[in-house]
């Protein structure tokens, strides 16, 4: 895989982590790669990362403050080794997961393994060593979401559909719809983490991400991976490989998209404010960046036309596809996820800064140039801070 180093703008919070020893499980993924860029920019932070995939972090592998462990939880003796790593760390960040909806109904056993069975020993070890576990869960624990049970006329009252960490019901669909294998496994792990806090005083933080977007998010099918990635990479793949963009079930589902830059700043604010972040659950999403998937498709082709300097992309074909044809049996959607982010705002002083267009521009620009191998178009001034 080609390596291209993105310009990293070090956030101030990284200075406040000086001298820390951080263990990151699943460090080679999208979030992990951006987190590593930040924490490894401070040479006094020692980082141990576990992952078997390192394609997104090749530019960091020779950093003297980074120790990579390329192991899965299925290898003999691994729990003992993980226990030692946890004992040596000041904080443990768990990012390891299968988090791609096309796999929830097609590989549900692996999804449950990855998101619960392989993860629970890590929780027990954090409890045993009384270490702070910062666990990345998912907005999918809200399930179908309460907005599925109200009519669109009620959308004028956010109180009816906003997702609040401590009071909103978590609504799963039927067992036969395996879409919910992921959400159920993630929810059970959240409950396991919470139980260890309650019974053993283990300090924890749970993060529920709502559609983080940015460079290095997912693979493009047929180029550096096979299968169906999440929506950003599906639409990018259609644009780059000149195929129609596919809108599942009319593209009416809505998502609130948050820049990976804002998401990483939220995490650094948690790490540097343990007295405020510990034993809390945080939705991390951008309420101002809500779009339907049909709007997202239109916006992405507009931005792609700008980045590629080719106005013909303004008319790039968009076609409808049923969820049955696209994902197969057992898929269901969440039609609207609107986060309440008051916890992150009041406790951490976090509010997202990056608008939808800027976030998409940076991401589309990265994908376009990464996969064409040409130098990156300089970032717009608004993205520099
Ligand atoms: C996924 C994960 O399940 C969450 O855990 C994760 O938090 C979230 O992504 C995320 O990125 O934060 P979801 O938003 O449903 O959840 O995943 P996407 O694959 O990005 O799908 C978003 C919407 O786009 C869905 O309505 C899907 O049907 C639609 N879609 C997807 C299309 O219309 N066309 C495509 O080509 C692909």
């Amino acid at each position: 895989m080609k390596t291209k180093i993105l310009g990293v703008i070090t956030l101030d919070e990284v200075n406040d982590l000086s001298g820390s020893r951080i263990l990151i499980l699943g460090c080679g993924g999208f979030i992990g790669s951006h987190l590593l860029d930040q924490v490894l920019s401070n040479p006094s932070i020692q980082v141990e990362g576990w992952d078997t995939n390192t394609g997104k972090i090749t530019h960091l592998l020779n950093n003297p403050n980074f120790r990579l462990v390329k192991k899965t939880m299925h290898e003999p003796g691994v729990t003992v080794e993980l226990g030692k790593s946890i004992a040596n760390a000041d904080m443990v960040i768990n990012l390891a997961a299968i988090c791609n909806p096309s796999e929830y109904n097609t590989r549900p056993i692996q999804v449950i393994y990855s998101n619960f069975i392989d993860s629970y020993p890590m929780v027990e070890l954090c409890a045993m060593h009384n270490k702070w576990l910062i666990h990345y869960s998912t907005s999918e624990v809200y399930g179908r979401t309460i907005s599925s049970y109200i009519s669109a006329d009620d959308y004028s009252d956010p109180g009816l559909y906003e997702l609040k960490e401590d009071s909103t019901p978590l609504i799963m669909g039927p067992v036969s719809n395996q879409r919910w294998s992921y959400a159920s496994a993630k929810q059970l792990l959240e409950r396991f983490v919470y139980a260890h806090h309650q019974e053993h005083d283990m300090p924890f933080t749970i993060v529920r991400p709502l559609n983080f977007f940015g460079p290095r998010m997912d693979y493009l099918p047929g180029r550096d991976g096979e299968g169906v990635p999440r929506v950003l990479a599906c639409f990018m793949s259609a644009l780059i490989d000149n195929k129609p963009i596919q809108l599942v079930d009319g593209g009416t589902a809505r998502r609130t998209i948050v820049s990976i830059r804002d998401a990483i700043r939220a995490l650094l604010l948690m790490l540097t404010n343990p007295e405020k972040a510990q034993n809390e659950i945080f939705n991390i999403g951008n309420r101002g960046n809500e779009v339907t998937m049909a709007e997202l498709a239109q916006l992405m082709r507009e931005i792609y036309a700008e980045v590629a300097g080719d106005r013909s992309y303004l008319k790039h074909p968009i076609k409808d596809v049923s969820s049955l044809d696209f994902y197969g049996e057992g898929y269901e959607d969440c039609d609207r996820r609107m986060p309440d982010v008051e916890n992150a705002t009041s406790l951490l002083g976090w509010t997202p800064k990056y608008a939808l267009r800027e976030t998409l521009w940076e991401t589309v620009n990265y994908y376009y140039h990464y996969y064409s191998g040409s130098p990156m178009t300089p970032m717009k001034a608004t993205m520099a801070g």
Side-chain angles (χ1 to χ4, degrees), residues 104 138 140 182 211 231 234 246 248 255 326 331 333 337:
Y104 307 163
T138 172
E140 292 219 5
Y182 169 75
N211 296 83
V231 67
C234 284
Q246 301 191 68
V248 173
R255 296 291 186 269
F326 193 79
Y331 176 80
D333 212 342
R337 297 180 188 145

Side-chain angles (χ1 to χ4, degrees), residues 1-6 26-37 51-61 66 99 214-220 224 229-230 232-233 366-367 370-371:
M1 189 171 175
K2 293 172 284 182
T3 303
K4 195 163 282 181
I5 302 171
L6 288 164
C27 65
F30 167 48
I31 301 173
S33 72
H34 288 275
L35 174 61
L36 282 179
D37 276 342
D51 212 317
T52 50
N53 292 324
T54 55
K56 295 178 184 178
I57 55 169
T58 48
H59 58 292
L60 298 167
L61 295 178
F66 180 48
C99 57
R216 310 189 196 117
M217 186 175 172
D218 283 342
Y219 62 89
L220 295 193
D224 49 7
R230 286 172 291 185
L232 177 267
Y366 169 84
Y367 269 86
Y370 183 85
Y371 288 95

Side-chain angles (χ1 to χ4, degrees), residues 318-355:
I318 297 177
K319 71 168 195 186
D320 283 335
V321 59
S322 72
S323 52
L324 185 63
D325 288 342
F326 193 79
Y327 289 111
E329 290 284 348
Y331 176 80
E332 264 189 56
D333 212 342
C334 321
D335 58 352
R336 190 172 198 195
R337 297 180 188 145
M338 174 56 74
D340 180 307
V341 293
E342 186 51 30
N343 256 12
T345 304
S346 61
L347 290 170
L348 308 172
W350 179 82
T351 47
K353 290 183 184 163
Y354 293 99

Side-chain angles (χ1 to χ4, degrees), residues 58-346:
T58 48
H59 58 292
L60 298 167
L61 295 178
N62 292 328
N63 186 305
N65 300 316
F66 180 48
R67 175 172 179 260
L68 175 73
V69 178
K70 265 188 141 174
K71 287 195 175 162
T72 71
M73 289 307 289
H74 299 175
E75 290 170 42
V78 75
T79 313
V80 175
E81 188 175 345
L82 180 61
K84 287 184 188 154
S85 297
I86 288 175
N88 283 333
D90 298 317
M91 54 194 85
V92 179
I93 303 170
N94 181 41
L95 298 165
I98 293 180
C99 57
N100 176 354
S102 69
E103 300 182 55
Y104 307 163
N105 60 324
T106 53
R107 306 171 64 217
I109 294 176
Q110 288 88 342
V111 167
I112 292 168
Y113 261 97
S114 159
N115 292 296
F116 183 72
I117 298 169
D118 292 347
S119 303
Y120 84 78
M122 167 275 301
V123 181
E124 290 186 325
L125 289 166
C126 287
M128 185 189 297
H129 295 287
N130 197 246
K131 295 293 172 166
W132 180 18
L133 170 60
I134 299 99
H135 170 60
Y136 270 70
S137 183
T138 172
S139 58
E140 292 219 5
V141 296
Y142 295 108
R144 284 172 161 172
T145 73
I146 46 175
S147 61
S148 312
Y149 296 89
I150 61 173
S151 79
D153 299 342
D154 294 326
Y155 280 0
S156 55
D157 180 358
L160 287 177
Y161 57 80
E162 273 181 351
L163 306 172
K164 297 187 202 305
E165 294 93 336
D166 295 327
S167 57
T168 299
L170 311 180
I171 308 166
M172 298 297 137
V175 169
S176 54
N177 283 349
Q178 291 279 19
R179 158 67 187 239
W180 307 111
S181 60
Y182 169 75
S184 303
K186 283 285 203 186
Q187 192 189 120
L188 187 57
L189 199 69
E190 281 200 16
R191 291 182 190 278
F192 197 63
V193 168
Y194 195 82
H196 274 287
H197 164 64
Q198 204 173 31
E199 293 188 31
H200 301 127
D201 271 340
M202 180 188 77
F204 80 96
T205 302
I206 289 174
V207 184
R208 294 181 180 157
L210 288 107
N211 296 83
F212 296 177
F213 269 34
R216 310 189 196 117
M217 186 175 172
D218 283 342
Y219 62 89
L220 295 193
R223 288 178 176 260
D224 49 7
E226 289 307 330
V228 179
R230 286 172 291 185
V231 67
L232 177 267
C234 284
F235 289 2
M236 281 313 309
S237 162
L239 287 160
I240 291 175
D241 291 330
N242 210 16
K243 297 172 295 192
I245 291 175
Q246 301 191 68
L247 290 182
V248 173
D249 293 340
T252 56
R254 299 166 185 232
R255 296 291 186 269
T256 53
I257 288 162
V258 59
S259 161
I260 187 68
R261 292 171 181 270
D262 281 323
I264 295 294
R265 191 165 45 83
L267 173 57
L268 293 176
L269 284 167
M270 292 173 211
L271 300 181
T272 51
N273 292 285
E275 70 294 346
K276 293 182 178 155
Q278 282 185 358
N279 313 326
E280 295 287 343
I281 302 179
F282 294 102
N283 287 333
I284 298 298
N286 188 330
R287 298 167 56 85
N289 285 353
E290 189 181 47
V291 276
T292 65
M293 294 306 101
E295 290 162 349
L296 179 69
Q298 298 229 13
L299 197 49
M300 280 182 62
R301 68 180 184 180
E302 264 173 54
I303 293 171
Y304 194 88
E306 261 175 47
V307 166
D310 181 347
R311 289 181 58 80
S312 70
Y313 283 103
L314 293 172
K315 296 207 158 115
H316 191 87
I318 297 177
K319 71 168 195 186
D320 283 335
V321 59
S322 72
S323 52
L324 185 63
D325 288 342
F326 193 79
Y327 289 111
E329 290 284 348
Y331 176 80
E332 264 189 56
D333 212 342
C334 321
D335 58 352
R336 190 172 198 195
R337 297 180 188 145
M338 174 56 74
D340 180 307
V341 293
E342 186 51 30
N343 256 12
T345 304
S346 61

